[in-house]
Amino acid sequence: MIPFVDLKAQYASIKSEVNAAIQGVLDSCQFTLGSEVAKFEEEFAAFSGAKLGIGVNTGTSALHLALLAAKIGPGDEVITVPFTFVATVAAIRYTGATPVLVDVDPVTFNMDPAAIEAAITPRTKAIIPVHLYGQAADMDPIVAVARKHGLLVIEDACQAHAAEYKGRRVGSLGDMACFSFYPGKNLGAYGEGGMVVTNDAGYARTIRMLRDWGAEKKYQHVLQGYNFRLEGLQGAVLRVKLKYLEGWTEARRAAAARYDAGFAGSGVRAPAAVKHNRHVYHIYAIRSPNRQAWQDALQAAGVQTGIHYPIPVHLLPAHADLGYRAGQFPHSETAAREVLSLPMFPELTEAQTSKVVAAVRALTERASAVA
Ligand SMILES: Cc1ncc(COP(=O)(O)O)c(C=O)c1O
C-alpha cells in the first residue's frame, strides 16, 4: 500500500538529529516556550520573509489571535472562502465576528478576487485568503481591494510553508500570516504547533501577550489572554526540520512534476499551478466526477487517497446558522464533490509515483472504454 503521507519515512531520515534535539529540551526542562521556541520563531519568520514570529499551540490559534490583535470582534465581518479546512471559519467565529464567504476560482480553488468587492459592507474589517493545497492565492488583486477599502489581509498559510507568489514568500504578502505545524503539514511538529508572522511590532506584541494569558510580565495580566503557548519540544523538533524544508519542498515539487508528466494526455484532471506561483504541493488533488468509485478502485490497487474537503464550510451543520444554502458557491461545491488527493510527501519514490500514475490512468482508460 502506498500511504497518503509517510511520517515514518521522514522521521527515519532525521532520527538522530531529532532525538538529540528532544534530549536537549529534556535536559533543559524548558517545556513551554523557552529558548528553542524563541530561536525557531526568529528562524521561521526570516524563512517566510517576515520580521517577527510568535509561536502558538496550533494554526487555529494563530488565526484566532491574529484577528484579536487586529481588534476584530462582535459586529465585524471578515471575508474568506467556503472551500477550506473548517478552522479558517471557526477562528473568525471565536472572536465573535461574522464570516462572510466568497466563492473560489474554479481552476485554482483559491479565493476569487473578483468576488470580494460585492461582499464588502461597512462592517468588513479583514480578508483571509487561504493558500489552499500549498499554492498562493492571487494576492495582488486581493491586497489592492483590501487597501482600497481600508481592510486588513491575514494570510491563512497553514498549508503553504515555503510557497511563493511572484517571487515572494507567503507570510510576507499581507499584514499577518498564520501557519500550522500539524504533523502532516509540509513543516510538521511532533505534536501540535502554529505561528503568526508579521512585520508589525504592535500586532506581534499583542499576540505574544494573548498567547500567554495576556501577561506583560509574569502575573501582570493586561489583556484577557489564553494558554496558547508553543511547547519547547515542538520548537526544538521544528528547528531541526526547518533546515530540511527547502529540500523537502523541492522533492514534493519533483513528485508533482512526475505525476503531471504521467497524466499528460490521459484525460486525468491534474491540479493547475499558476505560472507565477511556487506551488509547494501540500496536497496534490486530481478531479473526478466519479470520485467515490475512483477512491475505492485506487484503494483496491494499493493507493491510499484523501479528500480535502468533502463538504464546503457553508454546508457543514456546525455553520448552518450562518444562513448560506446549497448552490450559493458553485465552484466550491463542485470542487468538494470532485477532488481526490493522491499520495504526496517528500520521500515518495519514482517507483511509487509510477504505480500511482498507472493506477489512475487505468481508471480513465476504463472510463473511456465504457463510454
Ligand atoms: C487552511 C487551514 N487553516 C487552518 C488550519 C488549522 O491548523 P491547526 O490544525 O494547526 O489548528 C489548517 C490545518 O489544519 C488548515 O489546513
Side-chain angles (χ1 to χ4, degrees):
M1 178 65 76
I2 301 174
F4 174 65
V5 284
D6 190 348
L7 298 183
K8 286 185 182 163
Q10 186 164 90
Y11 175 56
S13 74
I14 52 172
K15 185 168 183 167
S16 57
E17 237 183 306
V18 166
N19 289 5
I22 289 173
Q23 188 62 53
V25 177
L26 297 180
D27 291 335
S28 76
C29 290
Q30 290 188 359
F31 292 120
T32 186
L33 300 177
S35 61
E36 289 295 308
V37 168
K39 286 181 207 156
F40 176 61
E41 288 174 336
E42 264 180 44
E43 291 161 4
F44 188 73
F47 180 88
S48 303
K51 289 194 186 124
L52 302 160
I54 309 96
V56 292
N57 59 337
T58 63
T60 308
S61 298
L63 288 163
H64 182 182
L65 296 190
L67 289 161
L68 290 180
K71 296 201 161 33
I72 286 167
D76 296 332
E77 293 175 356
V78 178
I79 295 174
T80 192
V81 287
F83 192 53
T84 180
F85 182 60
V86 68
T88 317
V89 171
I92 297 168
R93 303 200 75 182
Y94 293 161
T95 69
T98 303
V100 173
L101 304 178
V102 297
D103 208 354
V104 296
D105 173 89
V107 175
T108 62
F109 304 143
N110 276 326
M111 179 178 276
D112 176 3
I116 297 172
E117 205 135 30
I120 294 173
T121 76
R123 293 166 179 264
T124 311
K125 290 283 156 50
I127 304 175
I128 305 186
V130 179
H131 304 314
L132 197 77
Y133 295 168
Q135 169 157 242
D138 193 5
M139 292 300 287
D140 279 351
I142 293 172
V143 171
V145 76
R147 296 300 172 243
K148 180 174 158 198
H149 294 272
L151 311 176
L152 289 178
V153 177
I154 300 174
E155 298 171 70
D156 182 339
C158 285
Q159 303 187 357
H161 323 69
E164 290 173 17
Y165 174 78
K166 299 186 180 173
R168 292 164 65 203
R169 279 271 160 88
V170 307
S172 63
L173 306 174
D175 297 286
M176 289 182 258
C178 302
F179 291 88
S180 165
F181 305 118
Y182 180 77
K185 295 291 197 269
N186 289 24
L187 179 61
Y190 287 172
E192 304 276 354
M195 193 179 293
V196 183
V197 303
T198 182
N199 289 331
D200 186 300
Y203 292 143
R205 183 171 171 275
T206 306
I207 294 166
R208 223 168 262 288
M209 286 198 276
L210 287 173
R211 75 166 170 191
D212 194 10
W213 289 116
E216 208 162 29
K217 291 191 210 135
K218 202 157 180 139
Y219 304 127
Q220 310 283 317
H221 304 280
V222 296
L223 298 171
Q224 288 184 21
Y226 300 82
N227 178 353
F228 284 171
R229 297 176 295 244
L230 182 60
E231 293 187 345
L233 286 169
Q234 305 311 337
V237 168
L238 287 163
R239 282 191 76 206
V240 170
K241 294 184 77 175
L242 181 58
K243 291 189 284 182
Y244 295 92
L245 184 56
E246 258 312 294
W248 288 336
T249 301
E250 281 307 312
R252 282 177 184 273
R253 287 170 51 76
R258 296 199 298 276
Y259 279 151
D260 286 346
F263 295 142
S266 70
V268 174
R269 294 167 75 196
V274 177
K275 223 175 182 166
H276 59 235
N277 279 337
R278 183 195 196 201
H279 195 323
V280 297
Y281 294 100
H282 174 56
I283 299 285
Y284 185 101
I286 58 169
R287 302 177 66 160
S288 168
N290 304 315
R291 180 180 58 201
Q292 188 58 58
W294 281 35
Q295 186 167 39
D296 294 345
L298 290 172
Q299 180 75 20
V303 176
Q304 196 182 42
T305 56
I307 298 173
H308 303 87
Y309 297 93
I311 308 174
V313 176
H314 68 292
L315 301 181
L316 289 172
H319 298 291
D321 61 315
L322 291 174
Y324 293 106
R325 342 164 233 96
Q328 226 171 327
F329 303 111
H331 300 313
S332 295
E333 292 169 30
T334 305
R337 270 196 302 274
E338 294 188 347
V339 289
L340 183 63
S341 312
L342 300 184
M344 177 48 75
F345 48 91
E347 297 77 15
L348 260 182
T349 64
E350 289 197 30
Q352 287 175 314
T353 47
S354 298
K355 183 177 164 183
V356 174
V357 165
V360 175
R361 285 189 70 125
L363 295 170
T364 47
E365 280 147 23
R366 201 180 312 160
S368 52
V370 171

